[in-house]
Amino acid sequence: EVQVVESGGGLVQAGGSLRLSCATSGFTFSIYAMSWVRRAPGKGPTWISSINSDGTTIYSDAVNGRFTISKDKDKNTMYLQMTSLKPEDTAMYYCAKGPLGTIGDPWNLDEYDSWGQGTQVTVSS
């Protein structure tokens, strides 16, 4: 059974940092693309970052330069290091399992076949 479990969310002041983790099991983590998607209050889910099986990374404009996605193949875990947090980063953050190899269209949520339960990030001003 595929499982993805997020952790690391919390309450932080604007300008602060958090690191989210996504622990996975039930599939060969190293050969799949993985992504982070967030859902702000009252809005739909929005893609923010992906890491492909070869380690290449992509970011949305909203987080580029502030967030860093990474993975540890030995631990089957993906991370999202978030810095310079803004109140508009407040959202539920989800880890999503993508396709084999390279993500196609990261904005297309149909690319993802497994999701975690999410971890809440709240940024106070």
Side-chain angles (χ1 to χ4, degrees), residues 3 9 23 25 32 35 37 53 57 60 76 80 111 119:
Q3 288 192 326
S25 62
Y32 284 87
S35 295
V37 174
S53 62
T57 59
S60 70
N76 294 329
L80 187 69
E111 292 262 355
T119 187

Side-chain angles (χ1 to χ4, degrees), residues 1-5 22-35 51 53 71-78 95-101 112-116:
E1 179 188 3
V2 172
Q3 288 192 326
V4 291
V5 180
C22 171
T24 73
S25 62
F27 65 102
T28 307
F29 174 75
S30 63
I31 64 173
Y32 284 87
M34 298 288 295
S35 295
I51 186 164
S53 62
K71 63 181 178 179
D72 184 329
K73 294 179 181 180
D74 292 334
K75 296 183 178 179
N76 294 329
T77 299
M78 177 176 68
C95 170
K97 173 178 169 285
L100 283 167
Y112 310 111
D113 58 15
S114 295
W115 297 78

Side-chain angles (χ1 to χ4, degrees), residues 3-4 16 24 31 43 49 62 64 79 82 93 95 99 113 119 123-124:
Q3 288 192 326
V4 291
T24 73
I31 64 173
K43 297 185 178 180
S49 184
N64 194 28
Y79 303 98
M82 305 185 294
Y93 284 71
C95 170
D113 58 15
T119 187
V123 184
S124 64

